[in-house]
Amino acid sequence: MKIIAVILSRMGSNRLPGKALLKINNIPAIIYIYKRVLASKSIDDVVIATSNNKQDDSIEELCKKEKILCYRGPEDDVLKRLVLALQKYKANVGVIIYGDCPLIDPNIISQVVNAYKDNIEYYDFVSNDLKTTFPPGMEVEVVSLEALKKANSSIIKPSIREHGTLHIRKNPEIFRLLNVEAPEKYNFPNIEIELDTIEDYSVIDKIARNFTDYNYDLEKILSFLEVNPSICDLNKNIP
């Protein structure tokens, strides 16, 4: 079994254009995510999968500079991009990480991957986002290449394909799904640490500046926010 983490990222965000290269504690967001994912002990490699749109040339250039694997595919057909990225790097299991999750906890990645490996005979897709119990920004999806290829071969709307695994997540009668729920100490679905708006960026950057490495976990993030509640107020009213 070869397990590769695929970080989906592009510059063309509607609400926060160029967020992939926003500096988080003086480091481009996409590199910050990469270093967090790389700290997980449960994956064999990490690839950043961006689009073949010209505006994403800057992501590929940064990956080359940092010697990071990069795959470029269809901008709007994210499902196909995932399949092609995993095939290129000869993986049969993908760990999907979204580019709006710069504070992703390496331990939570390992938790979801291990849940997949422990139940590989029974599930095609294991994630912690079928039901939101972790704080948004901690999403991890683990899926077999075969399940992705099956979804990719289906005739589904472009509006579904652009969301990558959405067809799988919405069809439990076709795909075998398992949701990993947060333990009580992490069960804070209303604490928003996902990078969608400039207010989110302010929260995330303040959190990151409190730490000197990339390996801090969600427990440390929540402890920091508990003693600094005004930081959570910065984006609590943003839809």
Side-chain angles (χ1 to χ4, degrees):
M1 187 189 306
K2 185 175 182 180
I3 302 175
I4 285 186
V6 181
I7 302 172
L8 293 167
S9 180
R10 64 189 182 96
M11 295 292 286
S13 167
N14 291 329
R15 289 193 287 176
L16 192 59
K19 66 182 180 182
L21 299 184
L22 282 177
K23 296 291 183 69
I24 295 176
N25 196 10
N26 296 316
I27 297 168
I30 190 61
I31 301 300
Y32 203 92
I33 301 171
Y34 173 81
K35 290 181 180 294
R36 297 277 287 168
V37 174
L38 198 63
S40 171
K41 307 299 183 184
S42 57
I43 55 178
D44 297 312
D45 217 332
V46 184
V47 58
I48 293 174
T50 192
S51 89
N52 47 26
N53 190 307
K54 185 171 179 57
Q55 66 181 339
D56 291 321
D57 288 354
S58 55
I59 293 178
E60 182 180 26
E61 290 166 6
L62 182 60
C63 288
K64 287 180 178 178
K65 178 182 176 182
E66 299 292 333
K67 296 181 172 54
I68 295 171
L69 297 179
C70 181
Y71 178 82
R72 301 186 71 172
E75 181 175 25
D76 296 324
D77 193 345
V78 178
L79 175 56
K80 185 176 182 180
R81 197 194 317 167
L82 282 171
V83 171
L84 294 175
L86 290 174
Q87 288 179 328
K88 178 177 175 62
Y89 293 105
K90 297 179 172 53
N92 45 23
V93 177
V95 180
I96 315 304
I97 307 293
Y98 294 94
D100 49 14
C101 299
L103 299 184
I104 187 71
D105 184 338
N107 295 328
I108 293 176
I109 295 174
S110 296
Q111 178 187 0
V112 180
V113 171
N114 289 336
Y116 175 86
K117 291 168 68 175
D118 291 344
N119 296 278
I120 195 167
E121 295 180 7
Y122 309 106
Y123 296 102
D124 306 303
F125 178 94
V126 178
S127 75
N128 62 357
D129 60 1
L130 294 172
K131 175 184 177 183
T132 299
T133 54
F134 287 89
M138 291 291 145
E139 288 81 5
V140 181
E141 299 175 354
V142 184
V143 59
S144 69
L145 175 60
E146 288 307 309
L148 285 169
K149 288 167 65 176
K150 184 175 181 179
N152 187 50
S153 65
S154 303
I155 302 174
I156 52 180
K157 299 177 182 178
S159 60
I160 301 295
R161 300 182 68 89
E162 72 173 332
H163 292 288
T165 62
L166 184 59
H167 180 66
I168 294 174
R169 288 182 274 132
K170 293 295 186 182
N171 288 279
E173 73 283 358
I174 300 174
F175 302 97
R176 302 170 299 170
L177 312 178
L178 175 65
N179 190 66
V180 177
E181 296 202 6
E184 185 176 355
K185 68 177 182 176
Y186 289 165
N187 197 323
F188 293 94
N190 296 322
I191 293 181
E192 183 70 51
I193 48 178
E194 192 168 64
L195 185 57
D196 291 316
T197 67
I198 195 65
E199 292 85 0
D200 297 334
Y201 170 69
S202 182
V203 170
I204 289 168
D205 189 52
K206 284 177 170 56
I207 292 170
R209 287 177 180 276
N210 185 65
F211 300 98
T212 58
D213 59 23
Y214 301 100
N215 297 335
Y216 56 93
D217 58 17
L218 179 56
E219 186 171 2
K220 290 181 179 178
I221 293 173
L222 293 172
S223 295
F224 173 70
L225 293 175
E226 185 177 11
V227 298
N228 295 278
S230 62
I231 294 178
C232 287
D233 291 341
L234 295 172
N235 67 346
K236 72 176 183 180
N237 295 319
I238 305 300

